[in-house]
Amino acid sequence: MKVLVPVKRVVDYNVKVRVKSDQSGVDISNVKMSMNPFDEIAIEEATRLKEKGVVTEVVAVSCGVAQCQETLRTAMAIGADRGALVQTDVELQPLAVAKLLKALVDKEQPQLVILGKQAIDDDANQTGQMLAALLDWPQATYASKVELEGEQVKVTREVDGGLETLSLKLPAIITTDLRLNEPRYVTLPNIMKAKKKTLDTFTPDDLGVDVAPRLKTLKVTEPAARSAGVTVPDVAALVDKLKNEAKVI
């Protein structure tokens, strides 16, 4: 069984994000970049399934600038067998990424696609669902447990009322939640081994996909600074402030 795992290069979660002076977007110059944490969980889960013997090959894929090769090498150091990069300098929006991934799925013919539920830069939470729609495959989102059983995959997901278990017929799409696993620490020997693994490069034109942006960002602004908290003497004063100052009741 082959598993495809898309991974995205994003601003590291420890970095304080800065908005450009012209408010056209986020400043990523001289900023540490890393793999999207939810995608790291996805590649870890695929690797664990391979270690259990139920998966034979894990292919990591990424879409974006040339530096995404570093993210793919990290994925291969975690456990992916090889990587594929769709290289482009065009701003990729979720629908464009989903179309590129569909083209790669058609090319690779995996039985399972595991990807993070969302990226921490745009928080769109759309790519997995769009890919499932384009492929007409069953999907399970926010997975907290994944079990492969023959031609089916059982996915446990967290919902408001507790846990929900879905049984999907392969091929299928799964998006990962935080509690699915804890990614392993990447060791130096595995980093060195990853440098020797195959990494194929494509362009959107090679795959016959139009990635022109459909949406235009008008302005990006930082959130307003939070005011300091205050102590109130009693419930009546709290209600008064909520009603007359915060205007939330």
Side-chain angles (χ1 to χ4, degrees), residues 210-225:
D210 176 18
V211 295
R214 264 64 172 178
L215 304 174
K216 180 180 179 181
T217 301
L218 301 179
K219 184 170 66 173
V220 177
T221 58
E222 292 187 9

Side-chain angles (χ1 to χ4, degrees), residues 160-177:
D160 291 341
L163 298 176
E164 177 183 60
T165 301
L166 303 176
S167 182
L168 310 178
K169 186 176 180 180
L170 297 176
I173 307 288
I174 296 174
T175 69
T176 62
D177 208 348

Side-chain angles (χ1 to χ4, degrees), residues 9 33 62 64-72 85 87 89:
R9 178 177 180 264
M33 308 292 283
S62 190
V65 296
Q67 291 87 336
C68 290
Q69 292 184 31
E70 302 168 9
T71 307
L72 287 170
L85 171 63
Q87 187 172 327
D89 293 327

Side-chain angles (χ1 to χ4, degrees), residues 125-138:
N125 190 357
Q126 295 174 338
T127 304
Q129 293 88 329
M130 287 178 170
L131 178 59
L134 291 172
L135 290 168
D136 195 24
W137 284 10

Side-chain angles (χ1 to χ4, degrees), residues 18-35:
R18 301 189 307 272
V19 174
K20 292 180 180 178
S21 58
D22 61 359
Q23 296 186 322
S24 62
V26 173
D27 186 6
I28 59 172
S29 58
N30 300 317
V31 169
K32 181 183 178 184
M33 308 292 283
S34 61
M35 187 190 301

Side-chain angles (χ1 to χ4, degrees), residues 8 19 28-29 86 92 113 140 163 168 172 185 195 202 204 217 229 236 240 244:
K8 185 176 183 181
V19 174
I28 59 172
S29 58
V86 182
L92 293 176
V113 178
L163 298 176
L168 310 178
Y185 177 77
K195 292 181 178 180
F202 307 94
T217 301
D240 179 68
N244 299 314

Side-chain angles (χ1 to χ4, degrees), residues 1-114:
M1 178 185 293
K2 183 189 293 186
V3 177
L4 197 73
V5 184
V7 294
K8 185 176 183 181
R9 178 177 180 264
V10 299
V11 175
D12 189 88
Y13 68 93
N14 287 314
V15 172
K16 179 175 173 56
V17 177
R18 301 189 307 272
V19 174
K20 292 180 180 178
S21 58
D22 61 359
Q23 296 186 322
S24 62
V26 173
D27 186 6
I28 59 172
S29 58
N30 300 317
V31 169
K32 181 183 178 184
M33 308 292 283
S34 61
M35 187 190 301
N36 178 46
F38 291 105
D39 296 339
E40 197 172 359
I41 292 170
I43 199 74
E44 172 67 26
E45 189 64 21
T47 301
R48 292 187 184 189
L49 291 173
K50 183 186 174 186
E51 290 171 346
K52 290 178 182 177
V54 293
V55 167
T56 55
E57 185 180 24
V58 178
V59 183
V61 301
S62 190
C63 306
V65 296
Q67 291 87 336
C68 290
Q69 292 184 31
E70 302 168 9
T71 307
L72 287 170
R73 292 295 179 191
T74 301
M76 289 187 278
I78 292 174
D81 297 290
R82 55 189 176 90
L85 171 63
V86 182
Q87 187 172 327
T88 177
D89 293 327
V90 176
E91 175 197 354
L92 293 176
Q93 295 174 351
L95 181 58
V97 175
K99 289 180 177 179
L100 290 171
L101 293 178
K102 179 186 181 299
L104 288 172
V105 167
D106 292 340
K107 181 180 177 62
E108 293 286 346
Q109 295 293 307
Q111 286 72 51
L112 188 63
V113 178
I114 307 177

Side-chain angles (χ1 to χ4, degrees), residues 116-234:
K117 68 172 184 177
Q118 66 194 75
I120 62 171
D121 51 1
D122 58 16
D123 272 337
N125 190 357
Q126 295 174 338
T127 304
Q129 293 88 329
M130 287 178 170
L131 178 59
L134 291 172
L135 290 168
D136 195 24
W137 284 10
Q139 62 174 313
T141 57
Y142 303 96
S144 59
K145 187 177 181 181
V146 175
E147 298 173 282
L148 279 171
E149 300 175 349
E151 293 300 312
Q152 291 191 323
V153 57
K154 188 180 292 184
V155 178
T156 302
R157 59 194 301 269
E158 296 181 359
V159 295
D160 291 341
L163 298 176
E164 177 183 60
T165 301
L166 303 176
S167 182
L168 310 178
K169 186 176 180 180
L170 297 176
I173 307 288
I174 296 174
T175 69
T176 62
D177 208 348
L178 279 174
R179 278 165 286 281
L180 179 58
N181 61 52
E182 184 175 343
R184 68 193 66 189
Y185 177 77
V186 181
T187 62
L188 182 59
N190 285 336
I191 292 174
M192 300 306 294
K193 290 177 184 177
K195 292 181 178 180
K196 298 179 181 179
K197 292 183 179 180
T198 303
L199 198 162
D200 299 318
T201 303
F202 307 94
T203 65
D205 290 339
D206 294 337
L207 300 174
V209 177
D210 176 18
V211 295
R214 264 64 172 178
L215 304 174
K216 180 180 179 181
T217 301
L218 301 179
K219 184 170 66 173
V220 177
T221 58
E222 292 187 9
R226 294 181 62 180
S227 56
V230 295
T231 302
V232 293
D234 51 41

